[in-house]
Amino acid sequence: MAWKRLCGIFDLPVRGGRVFMDVADDLDLIIFRVEGGNVIAYDAACPHAGALLRPENEMGGVLVCYIHHWRFKVDTGECLDVPQCPLIRYPAQIKGFDVMVDPDNPLT
Ligand code: FES
């Protein structure tokens, strides 16, 4: 694993998300700071047609793609509309005050 510092924990909104562009080659990540203080990272490209997912389109733990409105569970990445197309998750953790990700080793 090649952990990489993405930002400080205070750079993420509480119970919200943020997109980080070009974290690695052709990879943008959408990071959510969730209940309990954990962070969850996904490929920010929608698995349907690649639209950039927007954290402001999250409500009640469900993220909605603004193009064709597929819905994803923030805590698992599951697609509620097409279950065989979940978000691609990446390892993410908080270390001290830093948000760390491993963009080379997708989990799903
Ligand atoms: S590009 Fe996201 S639902 Fe179609």
Side-chain angles (χ1 to χ4, degrees):
M1 291 209 174
W3 290 99
K4 172 179 184 174
R5 182 187 186 278
L6 193 62
C7 64
I9 187 62
F10 300 114
D11 296 323
L12 295 179
V14 175
R15 294 185 184 157
R18 183 173 162 189
V19 170
F20 291 85
M21 305 298 286
D22 300 319
V23 174
D25 290 341
D26 283 336
L27 178 66
D28 306 321
L29 291 179
I30 185 167
I31 314 283
F32 289 96
R33 190 171 165 189
V34 296
E35 197 124 0
N38 294 322
V39 288
I40 299 178
Y42 298 107
D43 187 335
C46 176
H48 179 216
L52 185 67
L53 296 168
R54 299 175 173 178
E56 61 268 29
N57 292 340
E58 181 271 335
M59 185 179 286
V62 175
L63 177 65
V64 181
C65 178
Y66 73 101
I67 298 289
H68 308 104
H69 309 121
W70 282 15
R71 298 167 299 147
F72 303 92
K73 290 183 70 176
V74 168
D75 59 346
T76 63
E78 174 190 355
C79 181
L80 297 172
D81 298 293
V82 185
Q84 61 270 35
C85 294
L87 297 177
I88 299 171
R89 187 169 178 170
Y90 285 81
Q93 65 177 332
I94 298 170
K95 201 162 193 173
F97 293 106
D98 295 328
V99 176
M100 309 294 292
V101 295
D102 180 355
D104 299 325
N105 293 292
L107 297 170
T108 50

